[in-house]
Amino acid sequence: MKRHFRPLGCSLSGIGFCLISIQGLAASESVIISEKVIGHTPSVIGINTGEMPRESAFPEWVRALGVNGVRLRLGVKPGESKGPSIASEVELMLLIKKLRDNAEAETPKLWKHPESTAGESLDALRHDEIELLATITCPFSFKLLGPEGQTDWSAAWKFWSAYYAQAYQLARRHDVCRFQLFNEPDHAASMKLTQAEYSVRLRIGSDAIQAALEDVSKVTGKKLDPLISAPCTASIKAFESRGKPDTRDSQIGWGRLSMRDRHIRLDGKTDPAYSQFQQYAYQQYSVRPANFLTQLTELRNQVTEANGGRPFPIIMSEYNVHTAKDFSKLPTTLDSPKEFSALGSMATVIAGSGLDEVYFFRLTLSVNPENNQVKKNGIHQVNESGPIPEITGTTRAAEVIRLAASALTGSRELLATKATDEIRSAATLKNGVLQVLLARTNSVAQSAVQLKLPPLKGGHLLTYQSVTEETFGTTAILQAEADGGRVIVPLPSESVGLLSARPVASTLPQVIGTIGSCSTSEGKLLTGGKERSLTLLTFPPIDGSKKESLFLRLKSRSRNSNSVPIHLYLTEKTFLPGERQAVLLPISRKPLPPEVQSGLNVEGLGRGLDLIGGFTVNPDESDTLVEVTRSLNRTGAKKQYSLILSRDFRQQGEKIEDQPLEWLSAEIIVYR
């Protein structure tokens, strides 16, 4: 195979290319952003992953999503372990002391990472400062209570030691301090769990987890304060009794039961200074913002009242627009404008909900083993036909969550906004960066929206990204009008957008051209097409310690009638002039079977190859701008990188375009 090298030119002319189709629009709708701070966003915007399989590249896709939290599904099986037969609480306490005194030696024997949740995957997430919420459930067949309601002390020891060992190892190896012991105890699928069994499990399991965190803190010198959340109900209405047979709460609601008993210690004594859990957790699926806020206000009032009139942190450990069961009855998917725009609309509501943490559901479109149907509320395409599942592309909903995470993570100041009726908005401020998340769920003929920004001190770079039926992942650089912070952005039918205003020392950018480029095609720099061509672009060293704003600008030629989705990867391997192309080309097309379901063209993702993200190339626009700030600044050091452009098989049944994209020029645009 011949490989082609050609230096790509760079030019500062036309840097405002993204403005033409935006600034020329007339806006009949508006959003006014105030300086008034009305609250704070959640500290964690996370994603439910279910699994983190060994040797998978799942952490790469989580990082590209931009979330700062992951909810893991783990389990304990104390019934499978052998243990001493004990008959009293005194004997239990002696065994607990012995295990705690020898935790460093004994806990690795009691728990090891399962294949579905590999240690290296969790290490990769923690390396990127992504918080881990470990939901550790126990089979309902294991009982802590006997037929007469008495505690089975032998079972209690097995249960306590299993939770202690797993919590100790997760805290010791990955600094995990967020835990749950249940997932939807009020759900019909949990029919075998009584409230009495739930209460004793929470009391014993919580004691084990908090003991583990205390012991790890002593060993490591780290301060790992527990953030255990309960009851983790399937319904926001589960605080009070609903009186239904399948909810098993005829006498008291699951929420009130949990709040009533949360000061009870392992020995059964009440201690107001002790709490079995530190956050109230529930799960919800909704597309109705007003209903969502009304129900959350009611729940918050109930929790506050049960806490003696004092506020108590609330988290939502699962959220999406539909459950998998409800979604299976609908013709739409999370690539449908109706659904992903609704998700964006709800994200603007979540911004001001007062929730401490929110975890979207879920990472992958996995197959449900119970009915062999794909869970349509997953946000990434995945090929599960091989021994290691491979994520192959994002849905539009994933791109919406990426915008929401950018605007909401980290307890940002929430600013007051006033928007035209058909637009939902949330404005946030942190470290001088203003971001405005916009969502439209209706259809319109005219898409322009005028934003009135609050006063911005000093120079600011204005950028805009959007997710529509046809496009995602690209950036436009804007200019505010001279009359004081007015800017016009497009928000077409059923779409989501994000405006960012970040402080810069100068609004005049530096332009860095490539110093080398190559392709698997013959004669031109091509990506995609029948040959599945790949292109690599090598740039001079970039200093990640300066924390500059960085954008990849591409000029292309397309013979396709539709937008083409491209994946952008980063590698430290380079291709320089004068090198032997056939030998040193550091990219290769991964062999794919003829009847491919879905798959990536590149190999080594997560092992020397990093995912930056995806974007679309519009056939009507020859210039494309993609933000690469977070990926190039990730190491905080001066390094030389290459970027790889690939047209991957993103989902099963996808038709790849016959004609490849041709790259005419590439450059990094730098704002300091």
Side-chain angles (χ1 to χ4, degrees):
M1 177 189 300
K2 293 183 179 179
R3 285 148 171 115
H4 175 74
F5 166 79
R6 179 180 57 173
L8 293 185
C10 63
S11 171
L12 188 58
S13 63
I15 193 65
F17 67 91
C18 297
L19 304 178
I20 298 173
S21 61
I22 297 176
Q23 297 299 88
L25 297 177
S28 60
E29 296 177 292
S30 65
V31 178
I32 301 173
I33 298 98
S34 166
E35 293 181 275
K36 182 180 179 181
V37 177
I38 58 173
H40 288 81
T41 63
S43 62
V44 173
I45 298 294
I47 185 72
N48 279 262
T49 61
E51 299 180 340
M52 275 286 142
R54 192 177 306 279
E55 297 184 13
S56 78
F58 281 23
E60 287 291 313
W61 294 90
V62 172
R63 178 170 49 78
L65 198 59
V67 296
N68 65 339
V70 157
R71 183 178 182 236
L72 305 166
R73 292 295 300 275
L74 298 163
V76 294
K77 294 183 178 180
E80 296 180 357
S81 63
K82 294 181 180 181
S85 177
I86 60 175
S88 69
E89 181 184 329
V90 173
E91 292 177 279
L92 172 65
M93 300 306 292
L94 290 173
L95 289 173
I96 287 175
K97 184 180 185 305
K98 183 179 179 180
L99 178 56
R100 294 186 68 177
D101 288 344
N102 297 278
E104 284 287 288
E106 295 301 320
T107 55
K109 301 175 185 177
L110 296 174
W111 186 80
K112 291 179 173 57
H113 292 84
E115 286 293 322
S116 61
T117 311
E120 55 264 34
S121 295
L122 302 189
D123 287 338
L125 294 172
R126 293 299 295 130
H127 176 76
D128 287 304
E129 299 182 344
I130 295 172
E131 299 292 341
L132 304 179
L133 167 58
T135 301
I136 308 173
T137 57
C138 176
F140 299 137
S141 57
F142 185 82
K143 302 295 183 182
L144 289 172
L145 298 177
E148 304 301 322
Q150 74 280 14
T151 301
D152 182 332
W153 295 109
S154 296
W157 162 243
K158 290 181 179 180
F159 190 84
W160 193 97
S161 60
Y163 271 94
Y164 177 85
Q166 187 164 165
Y168 190 98
Q169 284 296 302
L170 288 171
R172 184 75 167 90
R173 292 191 55 178
H174 312 295
D175 295 342
V176 178
C177 60
R178 289 171 168 81
F179 291 90
Q180 294 177 331
L181 288 89
F182 304 94
N183 183 63
E184 302 181 347
D186 60 322
H187 196 279
S190 304
M191 283 292 289
K192 294 182 180 180
L193 179 69
T194 65
Q195 286 192 332
E197 182 76 17
Y198 163 87
S199 292
V200 72
R201 285 186 179 210
L202 183 57
R203 176 163 56 90
I204 295 174
S206 176
D207 181 85
I209 292 169
Q210 296 194 60
L213 292 174
E214 179 182 332
D215 294 345
V216 171
S217 295
K218 290 178 181 178
V219 170
T220 63
K222 299 177 181 178
K223 195 172 186 295
L224 297 175
D225 294 328
L227 280 175
I228 301 171
S229 52
C232 197
T233 55
S235 172
I236 194 173
K237 298 179 180 179
F239 191 88
E240 301 290 7
S241 170
R242 287 166 289 172
K244 299 178 181 179
D246 62 345
T247 59
R248 290 149 286 119
D249 60 355
S250 59
Q251 300 300 315
I252 187 172
W254 291 91
R256 186 165 292 281
L257 170 68
S258 303
M259 292 297 291
R260 185 195 70 185
D261 294 347
R262 73 184 182 91
H263 295 302
I264 300 177
R265 284 189 173 273
L266 179 62
D267 59 7
K269 297 178 181 178
T270 298
D271 179 358
Y274 173 79
S275 183
Q276 294 175 3
F277 57 96
Q278 294 74 39
Q279 297 171 316
Y280 187 98
Y282 78 101
Q283 302 178 170
Q284 190 172 16
Y285 293 76
S286 174
V287 293
R288 294 181 291 176
N291 190 51
F292 172 88
L293 289 175
T294 298
Q295 291 179 342
L296 180 55
T297 298
E298 181 180 359
L299 174 63
R300 180 173 286 109
N301 291 338
Q302 291 169 331
V303 172
T304 300
E305 177 268 326
N307 194 41
R310 300 179 303 275
F312 194 79
I314 300 177
I315 75 169
M316 186 162 57
S317 48
E318 283 185 19
Y319 174 74
N320 206 320
V321 291
H322 303 295
T323 64
K325 181 179 179 180
D326 290 342
F327 228 150
S328 67
K329 303 172 186 177
L330 300 173
T332 52
T333 71
L334 284 177
D335 271 318
S336 302
K338 177 182 178 180
E339 305 297 356
F340 71 71
S341 64
L343 186 66
S345 175
M346 290 301 298
T348 67
V349 177
I350 287 170
S353 64
L355 292 167
D356 276 47
E357 301 178 12
V358 174
Y359 296 82
F360 287 96
F361 193 89
R362 70 178 237 140
L363 185 67
T364 58
L365 284 150
S366 300
V367 174
N368 188 341
E370 296 178 2
N371 55 21
N372 208 34
Q373 291 185 346
V374 172
K375 296 179 180 179
K376 290 169 63 177
N377 54 4
I379 64 169
H380 288 86
Q381 306 289 343
V382 60
N383 185 343
E384 298 179 297
S385 62
I388 301 171
E390 179 182 56
I391 293 179
T392 55
T394 59
T395 63
R396 291 297 194 271
E399 299 298 332
V400 168
I401 292 174
R402 181 178 60 82
L403 298 188
S406 176
L408 305 186
T409 55
S411 298
R412 298 164 188 259
E413 290 182 338
L414 183 69
L415 305 182
T417 63
K418 182 179 180 181
T420 307
D421 288 345
E422 299 296 340
I423 297 174
R424 289 204 169 269
S425 61
T428 65
L429 186 66
K430 186 174 184 179
N431 298 329
V433 178
L434 171 69
Q435 293 188 287
V436 185
L437 184 65
L438 304 168
R440 183 196 295 281
T441 57
N442 65 318
S443 297
V444 291
Q446 191 270 104
S447 65
V449 176
Q450 179 178 262
L451 305 182
K452 177 64 172 69
L453 306 180
L456 301 174
K457 298 179 181 179
H460 276 73
L461 173 67
L462 298 182
T463 62
Y464 186 70
Q465 301 179 60
S466 62
V467 180
T468 71
E469 184 174 14
E470 295 295 329
T471 63
F472 65 87
T474 57
T475 299
I477 295 177
L478 312 179
Q479 291 178 339
E481 296 180 4
D483 62 347
R486 295 181 187 273
V487 62
I488 294 177
V489 299
L491 192 67
S493 301
E494 297 178 318
S495 67
V496 179
L498 176 66
L499 176 88
S500 299
R502 68 197 86 183
V504 291
S506 173
T507 55
L508 293 177
Q510 175 191 0
V511 179
I512 302 175
T514 59
I515 58 174
S517 59
C518 57
S519 175
T520 56
S521 61
E522 182 176 348
K524 296 179 180 179
L525 293 172
L526 305 178
T527 294
K530 293 180 179 180
E531 300 298 321
R532 298 191 288 119
S533 299
L534 302 172
T535 294
L536 179 142
L537 310 169
T538 298
F539 291 91
I542 294 174
D543 192 350
S545 65
K546 293 183 178 180
K547 303 302 180 184
E548 301 160 327
S549 294
L550 306 165
F551 303 86
L552 172 66
R553 182 187 179 186
L554 297 164
K555 190 174 182 62
S556 62
R557 179 184 293 126
S558 174
R559 295 183 176 88
N560 300 292
S561 58
N562 298 321
S563 296
V564 179
I566 297 295
H567 283 153
L568 182 63
Y569 302 95
L570 179 146
T571 178
E572 292 184 19
K573 297 179 180 179
T574 59
F575 186 85
L576 303 175
E579 293 182 325
R580 295 177 59 193
Q581 302 160 29
V583 176
L584 297 180
L585 182 66
I587 54 176
S588 61
R589 292 176 299 183
K590 183 173 64 177
L592 295 175
E595 299 298 326
V596 65
Q597 291 186 325
S598 61
L600 305 180
N601 289 326
V602 297
E603 293 187 285
L605 184 57
R607 301 183 300 278
L609 184 69
D610 296 344
L611 174 69
I612 295 178
F615 64 95
T616 51
V617 177
N618 191 328
D620 299 327
E621 298 177 2
S622 60
D623 282 294
T624 303
L625 198 69
V626 181
E627 182 159 6
V628 293
T629 300
R630 197 154 50 90
S631 294
L632 296 190
N633 285 340
R634 185 180 173 211
T635 63
K638 189 172 185 178
K639 286 192 174 184
Q640 188 168 44
Y641 298 106
S642 293
L643 303 181
I644 297 174
L645 298 156
S646 176
R647 171 58 167 112
D648 295 320
F649 288 79
R650 292 165 50 86
Q651 58 184 312
Q652 186 174 1
E654 182 177 40
K655 178 175 172 54
I656 302 297
E657 301 79 17
D658 290 337
Q659 297 296 324
L661 295 174
E662 180 182 358
W663 307 110
L664 305 177
S665 67
E667 54 203 19
I668 298 291
I669 309 298
V670 183
Y671 285 88
R672 292 189 168 90

